[in-house]
Amino acid sequence: QSVLTQPPSASGTPGQRVTISCSGSSSNIGINTVNWYQQLPGTAPKLLIYSDNQRPSGVPDRFSGSRSDTSASLAISGLQSEDEADYYCAAWDDSLNGWVFGGGTKLTVL
Amino acid sequence: QVQLVQSGPEVKKPGASVKVSCKTSGYIFTRYDISWVRQAPGQGPEWLGWISVSNGDTNYAQGIEGRVTMTTDTSTSTAYMELRSLRFDDTAVYYCTREIRGTYDSWFDPWGQGTLVTVSS
């Protein structure tokens, strides 16, 4: 059971906007920034968003992140077939003194 | 470019130990810490711990700290993770990842390709 809670699945059609939520607590998301990772089938996770809303070089601006209170969100606009992947949120947890992850959201592009 | 290349798959019996290596290149090894993360089949990632490459300090995740040891060899820019007393539920893909520190926070980038460790009798 993951410390951060994500919906197990999400879907959308090409061109649509999809949002994935990540719920935590006062010891993690409530006081620390959130990072998002994209994992394509059979590959290692890849950094998608860091520090709540920053995109690494090479990540399209279709991807955006936000954080409020003890929750965070990843938004993907202009959905494309290559966005079909698993998405994970992560944050440092001050009580556990370690990183915690969400259980992941499998995004399907219909 | 920055690369983390891990050792190959392992099959171990319950109670045995496994040591996974992570050879880095493309950056100054001692300037970034290394974390280890595992992912059991169909599950989300689980952080195992972190090692400061510059001074060897470690921080292991609660629940696994008695069975795991993380080390580095600065002469070869390689990090290692050893897990002892293996159990069936240790079966997972194990990843090393470089931890980048910002002013107030940090993140993992990039990740190694992963090493499948299978615990089977």
Side-chain angles (χ1 to χ4, degrees):
Chain A
Q1 182 129 350
S2 301
V3 174
L4 304 181
T5 301
Q6 298 180 236
S9 64
S11 63
T13 56
Q16 269 191 329
R17 183 177 188 270
V18 169
T19 300
I20 296 172
S21 63
C22 174
S23 177
S25 69
S26 58
S27 63
N28 43 65
I29 295 179
I31 52 174
N32 294 309
T33 60
V34 174
N35 305 319
W36 290 89
Y37 300 92
Q38 177 192 59
Q39 187 172 34
L40 298 171
T43 69
K46 170 194 158 188
L47 180 67
L48 190 66
I49 295 286
Y50 67 96
S51 300
D52 294 335
N53 53 23
Q54 301 299 301
R55 284 186 309 277
S57 148
V59 173
D61 59 6
R62 303 186 294 105
F63 294 90
S64 62
S66 63
R67 178 172 65 104
S68 177
D69 294 328
T70 58
S71 292
S73 291
L74 171 71
I76 309 171
S77 60
L79 202 58
Q80 298 181 4
S81 58
E82 57 260 40
D83 298 335
E84 197 160 276
D86 293 324
Y87 293 85
Y88 298 96
C89 56
W92 180 264
D93 190 295
D94 280 23
S95 293
L96 296 173
N97 194 33
W99 286 95
V100 291
F101 286 85
T105 298
K106 184 176 185 61
L107 175 64
T108 300
V109 181
L110 303 169
Chain B
Q1 75 281 24
V2 176
Q3 282 191 304
L4 283 67
V5 178
Q6 300 182 221
S7 47
E10 304 264 12
V11 180
K12 297 290 183 181
K13 293 192 183 305
S17 298
V18 69
K19 192 169 185 176
V20 179
S21 68
C22 170
K23 183 166 178 58
T24 72
S25 61
Y27 72 98
I28 298 175
F29 185 55
T30 52
R31 289 196 179 169
Y32 298 87
D33 301 332
I34 294 286
S35 271
W36 289 87
V37 176
R38 71 180 177 182
Q39 189 171 26
Q43 304 296 312
E46 176 191 9
W47 179 76
L48 300 178
W50 150 96
I51 182 166
S52 167
V53 177
S54 61
N55 63 18
D57 284 350
T58 54
N59 176 24
Y60 300 138
Q62 296 176 15
I64 205 165
E65 66 267 43
R67 298 195 295 130
V68 68
T69 301
M70 296 175 187
T71 56
T72 62
D73 180 346
T74 55
S75 69
T76 60
S77 300
T78 303
Y80 299 91
M81 188 282 303
E82 181 179 33
L83 188 60
R84 301 176 294 278
S85 302
L86 288 168
R87 310 186 297 228
F88 292 117
D89 62 359
D90 290 320
T91 294
V93 177
Y94 288 73
Y95 295 99
C96 61
T97 180
R98 185 180 69 160
E99 186 160 344
I100 297 177
R101 296 194 185 277
T103 306
Y104 303 109
D105 54 6
S106 58
W107 51 91
F108 299 139
D109 185 47
W111 297 55
Q113 85 277 18
T115 296
L116 176 61
V117 175
T118 303
V119 183
S120 173
S121 55

